[in-house]
């Protein structure tokens, strides 16, 4: 499991004397998988947030959120009928990985830190 500490999985190799079993490699692999899972969750949440904004039209939200919404909608169509969503989530996950979402939001934060 990803939340179990890797250091607890160590095995003795020298009868308990100067036992230096590095679990760093395994810990790094687990950390990478956790980050990938987080990116996937964030992509799903962002897709849901953009869809929620669809239901509130013609009203608008704040300028930073509208900018992020427009960025996502350039690549991902609104959900009008049932369809396979995994591809949409992958597209948004790619935006997260390329820092496109962050860069879009940061332009507003740099202009006005009170956002």
């Amino acid at each position: 499991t990803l939340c179990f500490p890797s250091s607890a999985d160590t095995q003795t190799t020298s009868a308990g004397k100067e036992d230096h079993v590095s679990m760093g490699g395994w810990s790094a692999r687990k950390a990478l998988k956790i980050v990938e899972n987080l990116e996937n969750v964030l992509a799903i949440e962002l897709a849901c947030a953009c869809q929620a904004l669809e239901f509130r039209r013609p009203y608008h939200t704040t300028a930073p959120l509208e900018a992020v919404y427009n960025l996502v909608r350039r690549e991902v169509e609104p959900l009008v009928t049932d369809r396979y969503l995994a591809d949409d989530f992958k597209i948004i996950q790619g935006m997260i990985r390329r820092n496109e979402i962050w860069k879009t939001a940061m332009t507003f934060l740099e202009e006005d830190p009170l956002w």
Side-chain angles (χ1 to χ4, degrees), residues 44-89:
I44 292 168
E45 289 289 335
L46 187 53
C48 291
C50 288
Q51 189 63 31
L53 288 175
E54 294 290 334
F55 297 130
R56 300 297 300 161
R57 296 298 182 206
Y59 301 112
H60 293 279
T61 184
T62 63
L65 293 179
E66 284 292 332
V68 170
Y69 167 83
N70 291 329
L71 175 71
V72 171
R73 284 298 180 234
R74 275 188 245 144
E75 302 274 335
V76 177
E77 295 287 322
L79 185 63
V80 179
T81 61
D82 285 342
R83 71 170 188 256
Y84 185 70
L85 296 175
D87 295 336
D88 294 348
F89 299 152

Side-chain angles (χ1 to χ4, degrees), residues 64 67-68 71 74 99-109:
V68 170
L71 175 71
R74 275 188 245 144
N99 286 327
E100 293 175 25
I101 306 294
W102 177 252
K103 289 173 187 173
T104 300
M106 274 306 291
T107 58
F108 293 92
L109 295 174

